[in-house]
Amino acid sequence: MNKTLYKEYYKDFTYLTKKANSVSKYTLVICEKADAAKRIANALGEKVTTFNILNSPVHRVKRGSEEYIICSAVGHLYNLGTTREKRDVFPIFDLTWYPLNVLEKRKNYISNKIKAILTLSNNAGKFVNACDYDVEGSVIGHNILRYGCKAESSKVFRAKFSTLTKEEVSNAFDHLKVGVDFSLVRAGVTRHIIDYIWGINLSRVLLSALQHSTNNVRAISTGRVQGPTLKFIVDREIEIRSFVTKPYWTVKAFVNSSNGKFYAEYLKDKIDTQSEALLIKEENEGKEGVVDQLRKMTVQIVPPTPFNIGDLQKDAFRLFGFSPSLTLSIAERLYLNALISYPRTNSQKLPASINYFKIIKELGRQTEYQKEAAILMKTKLVPKEGEKYDPAHPSIYPTGEIPPIEIDGRQKKLYDLIVRRFFSVFGDNAFKERMQLSIKVGNKYFWKVSGGRNLYLGWLVFYEKYSEREERALPPLEVGDKVLIENVIVNEKFNKRPPRYNYGSLLEKMEEENLGTKSTRAEIIETLYKRGYIMGDSITPTNLGFQIIQILSRYSNKIISTELTRDLERKLEDIENGNDIFNEVLEDTFYFTLQAINDLMLNIEDVGQDLEQALRETFYEKSILGKCPQCKDGNLIIIRNKNNGKRFIGCTNYKNGCRASSPLPQSGVIQNTGKTCSTCGWPIIIVKGKRRPWKLCTNIKCNRKK
Amino acid sequence: MKKNNKICAICKRKVEKHDNFCNYHFLALLNIEKNFQTWKDAYENLNWKEYLEKLIKNEENGIWVQEVAKYLITEKMEGSNV
């Protein structure tokens, strides 16, 4: 410890020692993050003093006669680990909670956090768990209080709030819940245990199988939700790769009328045979038609439901291209700035207790929402709610606080989306008129022209910017008007293959299948990327991903069964709702894990060989940079010289005489861009090293470089 | 589990349900066969070889379908005889 730090620590420590000797004891408040701690401190009293203990900021504030010391964690400070030291042992069922710095060396800073909290707890008379009010927040706070502070449960309280506004935090501290929130803690702990047991045992079996077959070993894993999620992606890829399209034809006509020219579509959208399409062209082109019918229909479009995290992630991906994890982290920043309510919620409900009118009025103080707020403040505020309910928090809504100038562009975008969605749930239904005009040629052929117009915008006034509805006006024609079918255009088309999942659609699928939770889904997708099982924005499984699913479905199909995972999620929800089935769920998990280990161990040689092959193929797949522009047959791949270990690019067609090759930068990670140089046609790569990443053409003789 | 050492004629994966193809290419073959009649009706008088050529050229078709179609043309194999 350097001198200044020591002084600082000593000063703070002196204060705490003095406190320990004094009669009055303070209340120690544990928060999940530093920003939340600061906000809570400011909400509890006017005069906040901040000091540091072992580099951790701590806030001191007086509220009435009571003194509060508010400190923060950095997410989980404790995690599950096994008591067995050897890394190749399984099955593992003996677990305990360890400080994170014991499990992960790079998290050394956790040790100081824990020491700081321990020091503070010495003289605390009361403890408040003020971590986020959900399963994870409850576990984080509970573990700190249990292992860090060793607090007696009679001295423990729980604060429940959904926004970090002064009013709500203050209200939560006026109505603290006594004791530990056992249902949430139990549900969280069960989830951690199951995931750990499942993940560590099955991953170790796979690793052991790989070691059985090769010395070239790398991290390989599967998990309770990870497996079934990867299976969705692989199943979709199988569908795509074995897809046979079907031909069909569409026919449209260029129509001339006294009121202008326009396009009409043939009444039947898809024509199955080429001959039928050509016959329509032959018998309609140059013929006169008559407007036969004009059908009008009024449709009602109901407002959307308030955002829960899943809906917000989907819309943010659709509108701004934000990945779900990015959306979640931006939403959390907005929450910590007290601009929105707690984002990790499943709820589509907006309780009246949040005071709609007050929020809308506050939002109206911002120029961009003045008009919308003024409209809503004149109406009776009844939100359109969805069916999903979350006992811990309402749906995501803006608090009404004015955003500080320093919030960045992405935060602004997400904030605007949340505010406009909030407004729109109070809007009226929108009304549109859909129209279809029918043109008859002879007695056999019918053409249609569709269009529409807005009758009443309703909620769309607030959300038009983000809605996808565009209307086309109809040509001004009446029944009986004559028109000329000037030209008939026949188009040969093919059925589209199923689309690959993207971030948004995969999240939707996981939600639909009840896989994972609102807080873990985005993280699971990230893990699949990190493990090298999937790649690209349009999510494609790698060879390794394919092979993992093939192996698991061949040797232990249950591991990737959606039904099993879904059933477990339901049970975890039951525990969260107070149902005492904790032991039963754990027993099932132990039994199932043993069964799965047994299935895989019986085929350990095959599993190992399949994995080894998959790794080799994935390595090869990654080394391909693109087609060779010289022989136009082989692929340009990254090769390492066996003598000096230097890497270069060469053609796979070397044995057939192609001598395309070029040196590559020797340091840094090479990333393929998938693009080729416009001058020489060689692949363009990005090299990421210690310096700024740089883009370059791989051809050393490229004319552009001369 | 009975060991089978035969490998797929296209990708060198192990064969399981079919003599020449792995499960993935076999699935593609089944889809090719299943859709032949639809294509025949759509274009009238389309023969097996023309059908396979159309499948190879069309990028909507899956990669395994294209690989199987190429293999069938090279090996001059009829659908049901493969």
Side-chain angles (χ1 to χ4, degrees), chain B residues 12 32 43 45 71:
Chain B
K12 317 283 179 249
I32 291 175
Y43 289 101
N45 303 323
Y71 178 82

Side-chain angles (χ1 to χ4, degrees), chain B residues 46-69:
Chain B
L46 187 80
N47 66 33
W48 176 247
K49 192 173 172 238
E50 286 165 345
Y51 168 55
L52 294 180
E53 279 166 354
K54 276 190 185 284
L55 292 187
I56 295 168
K57 274 187 210 151
N58 194 315
E59 287 189 353
E60 277 307 324
N61 291 309
I63 181 82
W64 294 334
V65 167
Q66 294 180 342
E67 286 167 352
V68 172

Side-chain angles (χ1 to χ4, degrees), chain A residues 346-478:
Chain A
N346 216 14
S347 172
Q348 292 174 325
K349 307 279 181 200
L350 270 182
S353 56
I354 66 167
N355 198 343
Y356 315 136
F357 186 84
K358 194 178 162 214
I359 295 173
I360 292 169
K361 194 177 160 194
E362 293 289 309
L363 288 170
R365 289 190 297 152
Q366 299 176 50
T367 359
E368 54 266 62
Y369 305 128
Q370 230 168 33
K371 207 175 86 191
E372 289 83 350
I375 298 172
L376 283 175
M377 276 156 65
K378 285 182 209 147
T379 61
K380 194 179 168 202
L381 297 171
V382 182
K384 158 96 171 83
E385 293 178 307
E387 279 178 8
K388 289 183 184 161
Y389 172 71
D390 189 328
H393 297 280
S395 61
I396 304 168
Y397 62 89
T399 59
E401 300 239 335
I402 295 179
I405 304 160
E406 65 268 15
I407 72 165
D408 66 25
R410 292 195 293 199
Q411 286 184 44
K412 258 184 209 156
K413 275 184 179 173
L414 202 71
Y415 178 72
D416 185 63
L417 181 65
I418 293 167
V419 171
R420 290 187 183 280
R421 179 72 157 226
F422 178 70
F423 283 148
S424 64
V425 301
F426 294 103
D428 299 331
N429 290 351
F431 287 91
K432 299 216 166 190
E433 188 173 58
R434 298 259 153 84
M435 291 172 278
Q436 190 171 308
L437 200 129
S438 161
I439 296 165
K440 195 163 116 183
V441 177
N443 283 326
K444 199 174 161 192
Y445 296 105
F446 293 92
W447 300 82
K448 63 178 180 188
V449 189
S450 306
R453 64 189 176 112
N454 289 322
L455 293 177
Y456 176 62
L457 277 175
W459 64 273
L460 283 170
V461 170
F462 312 115
Y463 211 59
E464 203 164 16
K465 192 172 163 185
Y466 299 124
S467 72
E468 285 172 329
R469 302 162 210 275
E470 260 183 47
E471 296 299 345
R472 190 174 61 164
L474 267 191
L477 289 172
E478 296 294 332

Side-chain angles (χ1 to χ4, degrees), chain A residues 237-238 240-247 249 272-275 492 494-497 543 546-547 550 554-555 603 605-606 609-610 613, chain B residues 1 3 11-14 16 23-24 27-28 31-32 35 38-39 41-44 51 54-55 58-66:
Chain A
E237 192 63 24
I238 292 173
I240 292 169
R241 293 190 189 179
S242 59
F243 178 76
V244 174
T245 184
K246 286 179 187 161
W249 286 262
D272 296 332
T273 65
Q274 192 179 32
S275 53
E492 183 189 41
F494 297 92
N495 282 345
K496 293 252 173 261
R497 58 182 168 201
N543 259 326
F546 247 105
Q547 209 64 21
Q550 207 187 19
R554 189 179 298 154
Y555 303 112
N603 299 289
E605 266 181 39
D606 290 344
Q609 278 167 15
D610 289 352
Q613 190 191 346
Chain B
M1 199 176 284
K3 268 218 162 183
C11 68
K12 317 283 179 249
R13 281 191 189 97
K14 284 177 203 157
E16 281 174 38
N23 286 353
Y24 298 136
L27 178 66
N31 282 346
I32 291 175
N35 284 287
T38 313
W39 279 70
D41 294 343
Y43 289 101
E44 284 177 15
Y51 168 55
K54 276 190 185 284
L55 292 187
N58 194 315
E59 287 189 353
E60 277 307 324
N61 291 309
I63 181 82
W64 294 334
V65 167
Q66 294 180 342

